[in-house]
């Protein structure tokens, strides 16, 4: 690991100023991705700006319209165990409860996960399926505009994710086929019955990261059942292929995970 300077921010504007004043600064949240990357000398930020002690971006609130607002520095374990999330969006609580292992869930954060946008990360599927809004220190994004490709987002270099707002949904479920070593998704499907109809989002399988399955959504609008999606799969050519599984294997996993998620949400 190369030498770096550590800064503990206590407000978002503090953090923004620290980042601006650094030569090549990086925001640090749970450190579950950034610190291993630094240890391997694949990243060498001059300064680390720690967001974990900023109260204004931590915690979970149920809002008057039924939506759930989660601060960016909230760890996965807190999302998984929160009573409001479990009651309103059980699929989201379940998703957070199956990220990595207990260490990762108590250190890793929602903001760090979505800013990193690993193609196998779980949260992007929930944000896209539920039509979540991402709040930053500069503006708001829809999930559709936020995730722009593998490890890519629409964030500026100096932009800080502050919270995510998840609209209410009557039914939610997330089912993934985890990589047995890391627990990252080889294919993960989040399904939701929302005010604007059925939504299906897939992570872990696509070459460009998270994506929706419009055909499955249309079928589920007419008939919310596992059978309705049983013959539908994404195009094999668009799937990831690596040492863990071929593109055809992942396309098939999407169908299987979608069937299980629809059954679970029913
Ligand atoms: C062994 C292991 C298993 C894992 N398994 C899973 C899994 O099953 N599913 C899954 O989804 N994930 C998994 N993860 C990843 C985990 O969820 C991490 O929490 C996540 O990748 C990064 O979150 P973090 O808070 O640790 O971010 P950090 O590592 O601190 O930061 C990651 C990146 O995001 C930037 N960043 C952090 N916070 C912000 C912010 N608020 N605004 C803007 N940029 C920000 C940082 O500058 C950095 O570039 C696993 C990780 C490990 C080590």
């Amino acid at each position: 690991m190369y030498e770096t300077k550590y800064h503990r921010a206590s407000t978002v504007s503090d953090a923004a100023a620290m980042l601006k004043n650094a030569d090549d600064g990086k925001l640090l949240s749970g450190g579950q991705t950034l610190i291993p990357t630094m240890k391997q000398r694949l990243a060498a930020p001059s300064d680390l700006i720690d967001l974990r002690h900023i109260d204004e971006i931590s915690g979970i609130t149920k809002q008057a319209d039924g939506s759930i607002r989660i601060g960016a520095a909230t760890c996965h374990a807190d999302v998984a165990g929160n009573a409001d999330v479990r009651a309103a969006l059980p699929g989201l609580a379940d998703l957070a409860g199956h990220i990595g292992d207990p260490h990762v869930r108590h250190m890793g954060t929602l903001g760090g996960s979505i800013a990193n946008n690993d193609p196998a990360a779980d949260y992007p599927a929930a944000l896209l399926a539920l039509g979540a809004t991402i709040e930053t220190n500069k503006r708001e994004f829809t999930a559709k505009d936020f995730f722009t490709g593998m490890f890519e987002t629409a964030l500026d270099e100096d932009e800080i994710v502050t919270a995510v707002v998840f609209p209410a949904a009557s039914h939610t479920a997330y089912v993934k086929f985890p990589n047995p070593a890391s627990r990252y998704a080889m294919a993960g499907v989040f399904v939701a019955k929302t005010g604007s109809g059925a939504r299906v989002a897939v992570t872990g399988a696509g070459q460009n990261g998270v994506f929706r399955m419009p055909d499955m959504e249309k079928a589920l609008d007419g008939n919310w059942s596992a059978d309705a999606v049983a013959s539908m799969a994404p195009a094999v050519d668009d799937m990831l292929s690596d040492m863990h599984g071929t593109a055809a294997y992942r396309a098939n996993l999407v169908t299987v995970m979608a069937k299980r998620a629809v059954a679970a949400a029913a």
Side-chain angles (χ1 to χ4, degrees), residues 65 89 129-131 167-172 192-199 221 224:
D65 62 358
L89 300 171
L130 291 167
S170 64
H171 296 65
T172 57
K193 264 191 201 176
T194 73
S196 47
R199 302 277 294 247
D221 273 334
W224 187 278

Side-chain angles (χ1 to χ4, degrees), residues 27 29-34 76 100 108-109 121-122 161 176 182-184:
L27 299 167
S29 204
Q32 295 304 291
T33 297
L34 185 52
H76 311 324
T109 65
D122 298 301
V161 177
K176 71 172 164 180
S182 69
R183 319 311 290 169
Y184 273 104

Side-chain angles (χ1 to χ4, degrees), residues 162-182:
T162 53
V164 178
V165 178
F166 294 91
S170 64
H171 296 65
T172 57
Y174 177 69
V175 178
K176 71 172 164 180
F177 189 86
N179 178 306
S182 69

Side-chain angles (χ1 to χ4, degrees), residues 13 25 36 55 75 81 84 90 117 143 154 173 176 201 203 243 245:
S13 53
D55 288 344
C75 71
D84 286 333
N117 194 18
K176 71 172 164 180
T203 191
M243 64 186 283

Side-chain angles (χ1 to χ4, degrees), residues 118-204:
D118 189 302
D122 298 301
Y123 274 125
L127 269 70
L128 194 60
L130 291 167
T133 301
I134 296 102
E135 299 177 355
T136 77
N137 59 333
K138 295 182 174 182
R139 52 192 161 156
E140 289 184 354
F141 293 98
T142 60
K144 175 176 153 291
D145 295 335
F146 184 82
F147 299 111
T148 52
M150 195 183 278
F151 294 108
E152 297 282 341
T153 70
L155 288 171
D156 290 340
E157 282 288 313
D158 62 348
E159 196 162 7
I160 302 173
V161 177
T162 53
V164 178
V165 178
F166 294 91
S170 64
H171 296 65
T172 57
Y174 177 69
V175 178
K176 71 172 164 180
F177 189 86
N179 178 306
S182 69
R183 319 311 290 169
Y184 273 104
M186 288 187 55
V189 179
F190 198 103
V191 298
K193 264 191 201 176
T194 73
S196 47
R199 302 277 294 247
V200 179
V202 179
T203 191

